[in-house]
Amino acid sequence: MKFHLLLAAALALTTVAARASEPPSKASSGADKPEAAKPALFTPESVASEGSVTVEGVRTDYRAVAGTLIVHPKGWDDAAHPDPGAKDEEKDPKAGGGPEASMFYVAYFKKGAPAADRPITFLYNGGPGSSTMWLHMGAFGPRRVITKDGVHTDAAPYRLVDNAYSLLDASDLVFIDAPGAGFSRIAGPDKEKAFWGVDPDARAFEQFIIGFLSQYGRWNSPKYLFGESYGTPRSAVVVGALETEHSVDFNGVILLSQILNFDLSVDGPEANPGSDQAYITALPTYAATAWYHHKVSGDRPADLVAFLKEAEAFAIGDYASALQAGAELDSARRQTVAERLSHFIGLPVPYLLKADLRVTGGMFEKTFRDDEGLTTGRLDTRFAGPDIDPLSKEADYDPQSAALSSAYVSALNDYVRSQLGYGAGKSFKPSVDVGKFWSFEHTQPGETEGFPGALNVMPDLAVALKYNPQLKVLLTGGYYDLATPFYEGWYEMHHLPIPANLQGNISYSYYPSGHMVYANEASLKALHDDVAAFIRRTDNLSR
């Protein structure tokens, strides 16, 4: 093959040389001229503005930049050029001309702060396929949209206020939209394959971060990643690759609503019979929900955290033992475990027996308030909404998502266009449907090819911690989160393949809220305080 390629190249060069030596023909026309190289698919953009925000009684003046950076798939060569005459499907992505992503960001820089003295935090939501409007407009940006807690927020006009819990008091901030979502775009041949998958997505964020550090002179700043939901496995892959492949150490990683091992997801565990751990790690969230809605049998404990410790002990003790017994579980013991389970999670004993003691997330959401004709929230079980189909086995929608999404979409569109000056003539995509394109295949550290089973990036985070023993991790979550149950994250961290002494690098904070912890204002304040304190004790600026 190499011989034929060399031969073809030689023939091509000979032909070009021969034509160059011929005098121009009178019959020549513009059609005979070589096609000019096509311009890049995207051009970086940026627009700057200024503002201020007061957090913890201290005013921070900042410069905001809304813009885009261009990234390419694995193997792209920025020193090579595509064949200008090649068709799009024939272009070699390693030689330019292949797929590109224009990744949108909004960055906030404290005015007058030297880069080396100012931490910088890269933030993103998950999905996969979600924009980062949630963290931007609900948690840590300088402006925050007001929504109702636990019930559906009224329609517009929505109220946007100065965010007294913005993280700008502790760090500069960069909110990033994933490829294709928000104001980010992808284009070129096989663009979905190039950017929509665990590893392609992580590579895009790695490139973005490296490009951003260069463009804004932040190589010597204390560095942090903040990922929510699918942003947590993304963070594990990204920090591992940045440290081991690019020699960029991070000070810390903040994980909100974590899932690193998808075998532990309580959405669909019935498709993996013989593996019961997802039911076990979800039980404390079921219990928290029953406590919140006053469905714990007997006297309701006064203290939620103490009650959850009891639920955790039952989950990994008698309940886990009963599930693992399988067909050997006798009827008397099955009845006893069902009654105890009903006490904690508020579902009827006959239902639990019929479900073989195994309740998926969708089943719980549909059944928990079934007698009221209500579906319980997935992202936040404090929320509820009318059943779509009263006869469904599992929930048909998520009432919490329905309750908040309009406020966030409207607030982001208005804020970016009217206050940041970006977005004229552009459409904002709150999320993109990556489902049929997304590849969960992931090549774990030290492996040469991806594993086609359920995604597990625990080894990536473990390698990052071992490669950089100074890396610190803060795990945060909500007690009422049924998308990524809080005890699941705790379980993952306590089963990382790391030396015992590195467990001390991981700290934990949990809140009486859901997947979007910041949807509850008191929890947002606590989250801000915990993250700000984490950054200040790990930024190495006081040494």
Side-chain angles (χ1 to χ4, degrees), residues 50-71:
E50 295 185 348
S52 65
V53 63
T54 299
V55 181
E56 305 279 331
V58 178
R59 171 173 164 158
T60 297
D61 295 319
Y62 61 82
R63 181 171 70 97
V65 179
T68 59
L69 290 179
I70 312 306
V71 301

Side-chain angles (χ1 to χ4, degrees), residues 16 60 75 139 157 223 244 272 275 351 360 368 389 395 397 414 469 474 499:
V16 171
T60 297
K223 304 172 190 68
T244 62
N272 189 23
S275 178
Y351 179 85
T360 69
F368 182 68
D389 180 358
Y397 76 117
D414 181 66
L474 173 61

Side-chain angles (χ1 to χ4, degrees), residues 115-138:
D117 296 337
R118 183 70 172 163
I120 189 162
T121 303
F122 298 93
L123 306 98
Y124 35 79
N125 281 102
S130 174
S131 68
T132 301
M133 66 177 182
W134 310 101
L135 286 172
H136 191 177
M137 304 308 300

Side-chain angles (χ1 to χ4, degrees), residues 115-124 170-172 174 206 209-214 217-226 238-239 242-243 246-254 468 470-473 534-535 538-541:
D117 296 337
R118 183 70 172 163
I120 189 162
T121 303
F122 298 93
L123 306 98
Y124 35 79
S171 173
D172 288 347
V174 188
E206 292 161 29
I209 290 169
I210 289 172
F212 189 96
L213 295 176
S214 295
R218 302 308 297 260
W219 281 99
N220 206 31
S221 297
K223 304 172 190 68
Y224 296 86
L225 298 180
F226 190 114
V238 168
V239 74
L242 285 173
E243 294 193 342
H246 302 282
S247 298
V248 182
D249 279 356
F250 272 67
N251 297 61
V253 176
I254 302 105
N468 171 16
Q470 303 305 315
L471 177 68
K472 300 300 190 294
V473 178
F534 174 77
I535 291 174
T538 58
D539 61 16
N540 297 328
L541 294 177

Side-chain angles (χ1 to χ4, degrees), residues 37 81 127 186 204 224 234-235 247 268 308 313 318 461 520:
H81 300 281
I186 59 176
Y224 296 86
R234 177 187 290 142
S235 288
S247 298
L308 292 181
D318 290 346
L461 184 58
N520 173 271

Side-chain angles (χ1 to χ4, degrees), residues 144-437:
R144 181 172 72 90
V145 64
I146 299 298
T147 58
K148 290 186 175 181
D149 189 30
V151 297
H152 201 105
T153 296
D154 296 338
Y158 301 106
R159 192 158 62 97
L160 205 62
V161 300
D162 287 341
N163 187 6
Y165 316 110
S166 171
L167 200 56
L168 264 169
D169 62 330
S171 173
D172 288 347
L173 307 173
V174 188
F175 297 93
I176 313 166
D177 282 345
F183 286 114
S184 293
R185 296 291 184 267
I186 59 176
D190 292 325
K191 59 184 182 294
E192 295 89 0
K193 182 178 179 181
F195 296 107
W196 288 353
V198 175
D199 290 349
D201 171 89
R203 280 191 291 268
F205 276 85
E206 292 161 29
Q207 284 189 58
F208 176 94
I209 290 169
I210 289 172
F212 189 96
L213 295 176
S214 295
Q215 178 161 325
Y216 290 99
R218 302 308 297 260
W219 281 99
N220 206 31
S221 297
K223 304 172 190 68
Y224 296 86
L225 298 180
F226 190 114
E228 178 183 352
S229 193
Y230 181 78
T232 61
R234 177 187 290 142
S235 288
V237 179
V238 168
V239 74
L242 285 173
E243 294 193 342
T244 62
E245 298 175 18
H246 302 282
S247 298
V248 182
D249 279 356
F250 272 67
N251 297 61
V253 176
I254 302 105
L255 304 169
L256 173 60
S257 305
Q258 172 179 301
I259 179 169
L260 303 183
N261 179 356
F262 279 54
D263 262 335
L264 298 180
S265 173
V266 76
D267 293 322
E270 70 275 17
N272 189 23
S275 178
D276 292 320
Q277 200 62 43
Y279 303 106
I280 296 166
T281 55
L283 190 154
T285 298
Y286 296 157
T289 307
W291 183 91
Y292 180 83
H293 291 283
H294 296 264
K295 286 203 170 189
V296 177
S297 64
D299 293 334
R300 178 177 181 264
D303 184 77
L304 171 62
V305 175
F307 175 65
L308 292 181
K309 290 299 180 184
E310 292 182 32
E312 291 167 12
F314 171 69
I316 61 174
D318 290 346
Y319 180 62
S321 176
L323 297 189
Q324 290 164 6
E328 295 296 312
L329 184 66
D330 63 72
S331 58
R333 187 178 171 202
R334 183 188 302 272
Q335 180 71 28
T336 299
V337 170
E339 291 173 358
R340 187 67 172 152
L341 181 59
S342 177
H343 160 73
F344 279 109
I345 74 173
L347 294 183
V349 170
Y351 179 85
L352 295 174
L353 290 171
K354 191 173 183 179
D356 196 24
L357 306 178
R358 293 163 174 85
V359 179
T360 69
M363 290 165 61
F364 183 85
E365 293 150 24
K366 175 62 179 67
T367 308
F368 182 68
R369 301 183 68 178
D370 198 42
D371 57 339
E372 303 170 73
L374 296 175
T375 292
T376 299
R378 173 176 177 265
L379 295 176
D380 192 326
T381 59
R382 296 174 305 145
F383 286 74
D387 289 337
I388 299 295
D389 180 358
L391 298 179
S392 290
K393 174 185 175 182
E394 298 193 340
D396 297 299
Y397 76 117
D398 180 17
Q400 196 259 14
S401 180
L404 302 183
S405 294
S406 177
Y408 277 80
V409 171
S410 300
L412 188 287
N413 270 285
D414 181 66
Y415 171 73
V416 170
R417 299 174 197 278
S418 65
Q419 298 190 34
L420 298 183
Y422 186 92
K426 303 177 188 294
S427 61
F428 176 78
K429 301 178 181 180
S431 63
V432 286
D433 184 6
V434 302
K436 67 178 181 179
F437 299 104

